[in-house]
Structures are given as C-alpha cells and as structure tokens.
Amino acid sequence: MDAIAKASKMINSVIDSHSSPLKSCRIRHLTESCACGEAVGWMKKLLGKGVREISMEQENHYDLHPYYQDMEYALKDLGQTLDLPFEVFSGFEVLELKNYLLKISPFIDTPQILKCLTFNNVDMSTDDLRKMLSYCSSLGNLTLKECNPIQKVEIDSPSLKVLKICRMFVCGIVVSAANIEVVEIDNVTCYRGRLVLKTPKLQVLCSYHDLKNSPFVNELLKTKEIIETSSGIASPQGSNIGNIFENLVTLRIDLDLGNVRNLIALSFALKSFYHLKNLEISNQVNDDLANHNDGVYDENEDECLPFPKMLFWQRRELCECINHQLKTLYIKGFTGKEFEVEFVKYIITNAGAMERITIWFADVCLWDEVIATVCLLSYPNASTKLSIILKPGKKYMERIGGSFEEWVSSLRL
C-alpha cells in the first residue's frame, strides 16, 4: 500500500471509529483525494456524524505543478477540483476551505445552517461566487483571503454581518448588505474608484495596507480612498451611496498622520461619525514613499491648504464625534513628529467624552520629539475622565521590557 492510500485509509479509520460526539474537524490532505472524490466523501461522513465546524485544506497545488501556465485548466486536467454538492457545502455551520479549485453544484434551495465561511486561496469565478452567496440565506460571516482568481467581489446578502477581504487583487468591490456590521479590508489591490459599500448599519470598519512591502503600491486600496468614498466625499461617478458611517462605532486604520491629504480626508470623515467611540490608528511613516508616484506622498502637499500645515488641527471645526462621542484613541507607530503631536493635542483639548488615549511609540524615535509628546500631559483636558498612557517601542519592550521613563533615558545614550 503506497503512502497516499495509507493516508486515506487512516483518515477514513479515524472518522469511522470515532464514537463520541464530534463538534469540529480539520483535515489536510493530498491532491489525489480530490481526484477520486474522497475529500467530498469525508465531508459527507462528518456531516452524518453531526459535525458542525470543518476545515479542509489541500496541499498547495501552486507549488506542486509550477510548469503549468494556466493553473485553472491544469487543475481540471489533474482532477483536483473539489466538486462539492451545495447541500454538503451549506450543511455545516462553520466551513473553511484552503487551496482548492472549487465547483459547487447544483445551486438549489435546501435546508442550510452555514453561518461562517472562509475561502483561503480558493479558485472560483466571480459569477459562481455571486450565485453561491445568493443561495446562502443564513450566512453571517464571510472571509475571502488570497482568492485572486476572483476578479471582482460582488456581494448582495441581507444576512451577512461580517465581511473580511484579505490580500487580494481585484478589479472592483461592490458590497450591498443592509445588515452588515463589520467590514475589514486588509492589503487589497483594487482599481481606483471601484469600491462601493452599501452598508448602512456598519459599526466597525478596519482598513490595513502594507505600503513598504506591497509590490503594487499604486493600486493598493488605502484608508484615504476608503473613507473618502464611503463618507460621500468622493463617491464613484454616478453613485448616490451617501454616508455609510452614521452608525460607525469603531474605526481601525493604517494612516500616515504626517500627510496633509490623509488628514483632510480623516477630518471630513470625522464629521460623518455621529456615534464613533473608538479610533485606532497605525501610523504609517515611510520615508521611501517619496519614490512612489501614487499620491500618498506629495512634496507640494502644503499647496492644498490656504495656511501653514502645522495649523491644520487648530483650524478644524469641532463636530459631534469629537465633542461628545469619542471615548478611546489608540495610536501605534507614533514618532512624536509635530503633525502627530498636534493631532493628539487637538483630541486632548476638545474631546469632551474621552476616557483613554494610548500611544505606542515607534522603535526609532528622537529624544526631543518624544519629550515634545510628553509635554502633552500638561495640556488642559476637555474630559475629566481622561487618562493618557505612553508606551515604548515594541522591540524595546520585547528585548528589555523596561518602563517608559527608562526607554526615554536610553534615547539620550
């Protein structure tokens, strides 16, 4: 008996011999198990045993056959398609599929309990994804990760509550979900102006992008574009999307606090955040961005303001969010540059409901700029409940674990 047959026999034996109730199961198998239909057979057996949470992973087919130019046809020829009946697909409460060319058929109205679905490196067409989601009437949580064959993400789901799109290259994203509460966009490359979010009940928005390591910085979907489009500042042409931030409670973003154009977008968006309680910012300071002609860095950015940029936050009009709603501010990667300090000063002196400000410094900081930040502690607080916490750089904490004062002293050595 060869190694493949032994592995298959072992998986069947474990499933068949398990007598006690099973809640969840994770299977990682060879590609041959798709060709002979065993992978689907295992899922059917587990469904029959009452399993409600399942994770299926095929060995990474992209590494197995690098000589194929067209991977989709290659996988079909090799019989590595996971041909999954819809009643099996929708019969689990939690389902994760990784490294598959996926085919689901037929799409029929059947009793289903699928609530949480994760596609990780799954190959399927845009039309099949849209059709599949239209039949998933109980789906509340959807994660799409590295599913790059999906050219456009189109989602129309009344049941969806959480959507995460991670590390994908798409032509556009259109989400129409009346009950969605959480949207996370993590390192997604998308054509400019092709993002449409119709999510009136959105409460949590997360926007992350790695400007230093992404090979496609120009097309990377950045926080500035997301908040401009979603707040109605710069909606796609012909769109009447309006403001989707009316119910937003938490905003987690990557943003360069030293870039005027980013802050203009943020300040306008704050006026749309009528119920924002929590603001978390990862400060994206990158001196190399001047080499990218993508609008993130602009040597003439001062020209977009009628006054010196250091007066930006002093000239901002107050809004409901700042005056009465915002309670927590968390910033990591803080360097103590003047523009960053002015932003925190604006919050300290104007946020009447603020309870806590936490600042994690970057690993590389200058002593005088850190001291300038410490001076913020002496400014009058608009909120009597405010506490301000300053923390050293992450690497310092991992290596030494000393106090903030000790870290500041070490900067002078």
Side-chain angles (χ1 to χ4, degrees):
M1 184 179 296
D2 59 26
I4 296 174
K6 288 181 179 179
S8 177
K9 183 178 180 180
M10 180 184 67
I11 293 174
N12 280 305
S13 176
V14 170
I15 295 175
D16 293 337
S17 62
H18 206 290
S19 56
S20 58
L22 277 173
K23 179 183 178 181
S24 62
C25 182
R26 183 178 185 274
I27 297 177
R28 185 173 186 268
H29 62 86
L30 301 172
T31 56
E32 286 77 6
S33 298
C34 276
C36 64
E38 280 188 316
V40 174
W42 295 329
M43 296 179 72
K44 289 181 178 179
K45 282 186 178 182
L46 292 169
L47 198 58
K49 286 182 171 288
V51 172
R52 289 294 175 261
E53 301 178 10
I54 185 171
S55 174
M56 297 286 293
E57 178 182 353
Q58 180 179 225
E59 279 195 347
N60 196 330
H61 46 245
Y62 292 96
D63 293 334
L64 293 177
H65 303 282
Y67 51 85
Y68 282 110
Q69 296 297 317
D70 191 323
M71 187 55 59
E72 180 176 350
Y73 289 113
L75 293 175
K76 288 179 179 178
D77 291 342
L78 292 168
Q80 295 172 359
T81 300
L82 185 67
D83 196 344
L84 195 59
F86 186 74
E87 61 269 22
V88 176
F89 170 82
S90 61
F92 298 95
E93 288 185 8
V94 179
L95 175 62
E96 179 181 5
L97 299 178
K98 183 176 182 180
N99 299 335
Y100 291 102
L101 174 62
L102 182 62
K103 179 180 179 183
I104 300 176
S105 61
F107 292 102
I108 55 176
D109 290 320
T110 60
Q112 54 181 280
I113 61 173
L114 184 62
K115 297 178 181 178
C116 182
L117 175 63
T118 300
F119 283 165
N120 187 343
N121 195 23
V122 168
D123 186 336
M124 68 186 306
S125 70
T126 299
D127 288 340
D128 284 348
L129 175 65
R130 181 174 60 248
K131 186 182 296 184
M132 177 203 73
L133 293 175
S134 69
Y135 281 89
C136 294
S137 58
S138 61
L139 186 63
N141 190 318
L142 174 64
T143 298
L144 302 175
K145 182 179 181 182
E146 297 183 348
C147 300
N148 292 319
I150 299 175
Q151 296 182 353
K152 185 177 182 180
V153 176
E154 295 181 343
I155 297 173
D156 187 352
S157 172
S159 64
L160 200 62
K161 294 291 186 70
V162 178
L163 172 64
K164 297 180 181 181
I165 306 175
C166 311
R167 299 190 178 278
M168 289 182 59
F169 300 82
V170 295
C171 299
I173 299 174
V174 179
V175 180
S176 180
N179 294 303
I180 204 166
E181 297 176 355
V182 179
V183 171
E184 178 178 318
I185 299 176
D186 184 355
N187 286 287
V188 174
T189 298
C190 179
Y191 292 166
R192 292 183 182 274
R194 300 292 181 88
L195 170 70
V196 177
L197 298 178
K198 298 179 181 179
T199 53
K201 295 184 180 180
L202 186 65
Q203 295 184 23
V204 179
L205 175 64
C206 307
S207 169
Y208 308 122
H209 48 263
D210 188 350
L211 296 177
K212 292 184 178 181
N213 298 314
S214 173
F216 303 101
V217 174
N218 289 2
E219 290 79 26
L220 200 62
L221 193 55
K222 304 175 187 69
T223 297
K224 174 179 174 290
E225 181 178 350
I226 294 174
I227 61 179
E228 283 182 342
T229 301
S230 302
S231 63
I233 298 173
S235 298
Q237 186 175 5
S239 170
N240 60 353
I241 182 175
N243 174 32
I244 67 165
F245 290 150
E246 293 182 6
N247 297 300
L248 197 72
V249 175
T250 299
L251 179 66
R252 301 187 181 104
I253 56 176
D254 288 347
L255 191 74
D256 181 0
L257 286 172
N259 182 277
V260 173
R261 298 183 186 278
N262 287 344
L263 296 184
I264 290 175
L266 177 60
S267 65
F268 273 105
L270 286 173
K271 296 179 180 180
S272 305
F273 300 154
Y274 305 128
H275 302 287
L276 188 71
K277 306 292 185 185
N278 313 296
L279 177 58
E280 300 179 16
I281 300 175
S282 178
N283 190 28
Q284 293 236 320
V285 178
N286 188 351
D287 295 334
D288 295 330
L289 288 181
N291 297 323
H292 296 287
N293 186 23
D294 64 344
V296 176
Y297 178 87
D298 187 349
E299 293 178 339
N300 300 315
E301 63 178 13
D302 285 358
E303 296 180 1
C304 66
L305 296 175
F307 48 80
K309 70 177 184 178
M310 298 319 305
L311 298 178
F312 178 83
W313 288 110
Q314 297 180 34
R315 297 290 187 95
R316 292 300 93 187
E317 296 180 2
L318 296 180
C319 57
E320 173 67 19
C321 169
I322 299 300
N323 275 354
H324 304 295
Q325 298 298 329
L326 192 63
K327 291 188 176 182
T328 67
L329 171 64
Y330 180 97
I331 303 177
K332 64 180 180 178
F334 200 85
T335 64
K337 296 290 190 295
E338 193 172 0
F339 224 1
E340 301 168 20
V341 172
E342 286 296 316
F343 171 66
V344 177
K345 176 182 173 182
Y346 170 76
I347 298 297
I348 290 174
T349 57
N350 292 290
M354 183 65 68
E355 297 177 358
R356 185 175 66 257
I357 294 177
T358 304
I359 296 176
W360 279 91
F361 280 86
D363 292 312
V364 179
C365 291
L366 298 177
W367 178 84
D368 57 342
E369 292 176 335
V370 173
I371 294 301
T373 306
V374 174
C375 290
L376 290 171
L377 300 176
S378 63
Y379 280 91
N381 301 342
S383 170
T384 58
K385 301 179 180 179
L386 177 61
S387 66
I388 303 175
I389 303 170
L390 304 180
K391 293 181 176 290
K394 182 179 178 181
K395 290 183 179 179
Y396 174 85
M397 291 296 292
E398 291 176 348
R399 293 196 314 265
I400 301 176
S403 67
F404 177 76
E405 290 75 15
E406 291 171 333
W407 174 68
V408 174
S409 298
S410 71
L411 297 177
R412 302 195 68 176
L413 300 177

